[in-house]
Amino acid sequence: MTTTNTTTDVEWEPHAQRLADELAAAGKLTDPRLVDAVRAVPRHAFVPTYHQQTSDGSWAQRASVDDLAAVYANTALITALAPTATGGTTVLSSSTQPGLMTRMIEALHLTDGSRVLEVGTGTGYNAGLLAHRLGDEQVYSVDVEADLVELARQRLAGLGYHPTLVACDGAAGLPEHAPFDAIIATCAVPAIPRAWVEQVRPGGVILTDLKPAPGAGSLVRLTRTAENRAEGRFDATYAAFMDLRHTPGDNPAGFRVERDHDQAEHRTTSLDPNTPWNSLLVWFLASFELGAEIAYGYTLPEGGAIPAYSGTPPTASWIATPDGSWAEIALATHDGQHEVAEGGPRRLWRFVEQAHRTWNDLGRPGWDSFGLTVTPDTHTVWFDQHTWRLAPR
Ligand SMILES: C[S@@+](CC[C@H](N)C(=O)[O-])C[C@H]1O[C@@H](n2cnc3c(N)ncnc32)[C@H](O)[C@@H]1O
């Protein structure tokens, strides 16, 4: 494996400076030591190429040096793809949006000497920012993909950074180097791993995207408050990271539920069929009843199904659970009503409607009004006096 030292070949510094200015102006970067890091760490050295989806759905590879402005923009860049069992393509790794990264690093409330574990090394760019801010000795970063770790190691070393990098399943933390002052995950977990609560020092911080069900959850900042307990609030701004995989290259198997409209119950709903995508707190609350395994997507005119809006206007949205329950909601409205078909043992859209009523009754709160308490056996979401016990995957 070889790396090219692209940092000396191109004039990237003005781009890094502009990115730092942009993030500072947007309030996503305030710590002067982190401002220095954004100016000093060349993102294009960690992302020499990236993948972009074209209008026909295929992927094209771009060279970063051809458009440095794009690489120093506040956008996520897809850096590793893998084929799926069904002939599609899945994203294995990406370089997170820089502004999200700096906001997350600042939320750790680091001081000189803080020891940080990052779960999800990816390109190594974030580990570079952390190493610049804290020093090599203080930074540990792990990724389940050994080849990504090796590339990140070479790129970091080429720039003079030598944090501790390990290829392993980050769900187990890094016990040999614990305790940490902070654990930051740049992948989404279905439940807070017990190892993280054990490996962060009392008073230390865990910051991760918690998604107990697909698409349902967001960034949560927890403090270890007791031996076996961590608690804190969700971040005000919704965030979505790729799911943590326990083995390299792993794709979720998924499940299929046939939607037989002849056997279904039919009714109408006034609730927006796009709710799983555009009302993410309602979807989160609904997931407590729907369960940890949910499939959902859009129905195309010819009957095909896709997980997200693709440009071809769909006719309906659908959700399904492994017990064979399903609901399909027409996108068209008649007098503000959408047709609903529901089959299987449970009426799934009723759960979404109930979650919407609950959210309205609570006064339509934002993410940061909700908190989470984690103990070895429980995950409890809370809002004022209300609590919901999660049954995470
Ligand atoms: C959004 S990317 C990380 C971006 C990275 N922080 C950067 O600066 O480029 C998420 C990463 O999490 C990794 N990942 C997924 N499951 C993991 C696991 N169980 N342990 C460690 N890393 C994991 C993926 O391989 C992927 O590289």
Side-chain angles (χ1 to χ4, degrees):
M1 215 177 270
T2 55
T3 47
T4 333
N5 187 357
T6 48
T7 52
T8 50
D9 308 339
V10 290
E11 209 184 319
W12 57 274
E13 292 90 342
H15 293 282
Q17 171 75 51
R18 195 194 30 75
L19 175 62
D21 292 347
E22 180 190 329
L23 300 184
K28 298 175 194 299
L29 179 59
T30 58
D31 174 1
R33 300 281 301 276
L34 197 55
V35 174
D36 283 349
V38 174
R39 285 185 187 142
V41 179
R43 191 183 190 203
H44 75 282
F46 295 92
V47 188
T49 60
Y50 58 97
H51 304 275
Q52 255 181 354
Q53 205 157 19
T54 58
S55 52
D56 66 2
S58 63
W59 291 88
Q61 197 172 48
R62 311 264 182 242
S64 294
V65 286
D66 292 345
D67 187 0
L68 280 181
V71 179
Y72 288 87
N74 186 24
T75 49
L77 297 168
I78 308 293
T79 51
L81 299 171
T84 64
T86 52
T89 302
T90 187
V91 173
L92 271 192
S93 192
S94 62
S95 172
T96 308
Q97 211 185 4
L100 175 55
M101 225 53 277
T102 52
R103 232 165 42 73
M104 285 175 71
I105 294 175
E106 293 201 353
L108 301 178
H109 298 167
L110 301 174
T111 55
D112 295 350
S114 295
R115 301 176 79 249
V116 179
L117 170 64
E118 178 194 32
V119 176
T121 310
T123 64
Y125 176 61
N126 193 43
L129 294 179
L130 287 168
H132 191 92
R133 164 66 185 88
L134 294 169
D136 293 338
E137 303 299 310
Q138 314 302 116
V139 179
Y140 300 79
S141 182
V142 301
D143 202 293
V144 71
E145 305 291 339
D147 53 344
L148 294 184
V149 172
E150 196 41 47
L151 264 179
R153 191 191 309 286
Q154 292 178 22
R155 288 171 180 157
L156 284 159
L159 296 163
Y161 299 115
H162 303 278
T164 302
L165 301 186
V166 181
C168 65
D169 177 1
L174 212 47
E176 62 274 34
H177 295 290
F180 301 100
D181 296 290
I183 298 180
I184 178 174
T186 52
C187 46
V189 289
I192 306 297
R194 193 183 289 197
W196 295 2
V197 179
E198 289 166 357
Q199 291 175 30
V200 81
R201 67 158 170 80
V205 173
I206 298 169
L207 181 61
T208 186
D209 180 9
L210 175 73
K211 294 252 184 318
S218 192
L219 212 54
V220 68
R221 182 189 188 281
L222 305 173
T223 304
R224 182 175 174 185
T225 49
E227 179 66 18
N228 278 317
R229 190 182 179 91
E231 51 201 327
R233 284 185 186 268
F234 286 84
D235 189 75
T237 311
Y238 174 80
F241 283 88
M242 67 182 59
D243 287 338
L244 176 134
R245 311 178 291 274
H246 290 292
T247 42
D250 193 23
N251 290 312
F255 61 89
R256 231 184 116 67
V257 171
E258 290 305 327
R259 300 192 292 278
D260 180 353
H261 280 249
D262 293 338
Q263 302 291 319
E265 276 181 29
H266 297 267
R267 63 184 181 91
T268 61
T269 182
S270 58
L271 184 63
D272 182 354
N274 299 294
T275 294
W277 295 271
N278 68 8
S279 194
L280 295 160
L281 252 161
V282 171
W283 184 239
F284 181 49
L285 295 173
S287 74
F288 303 165
E289 293 297 332
L290 291 169
E293 282 183 82
I294 316 169
Y296 62 109
Y298 284 107
T299 309
L300 293 174
E302 68 278 14
I306 47 171
Y309 191 78
S310 68
T312 306
T315 55
S317 69
W318 58 270
I319 56 180
T321 52
D323 62 358
S325 303
W326 61 274
E328 191 158 22
I329 311 94
L331 296 185
T333 40
H334 301 288
D335 299 327
Q337 296 290 311
H338 304 266
E339 285 178 12
V340 181
E342 285 169 304
R346 299 189 302 155
R347 300 290 162 261
L348 299 186
W349 195 246
R350 295 256 181 237
F351 293 128
V352 185
E353 291 172 319
Q354 179 53 50
H356 187 254
R357 275 191 294 277
T358 301
W359 182 61
N360 269 325
D361 292 347
L362 295 176
R364 297 179 161 240
W367 282 101
D368 54 344
S369 300
F370 290 84
L372 176 75
T373 300
V374 177
T375 67
D377 306 312
T378 60
H379 277 56
T380 308
V381 171
W382 37 266
F383 171 89
D384 284 346
Q385 306 305 316
H386 306 268
T387 56
W388 299 266
R389 190 63 79 80
L390 300 191
R393 286 174 281 169

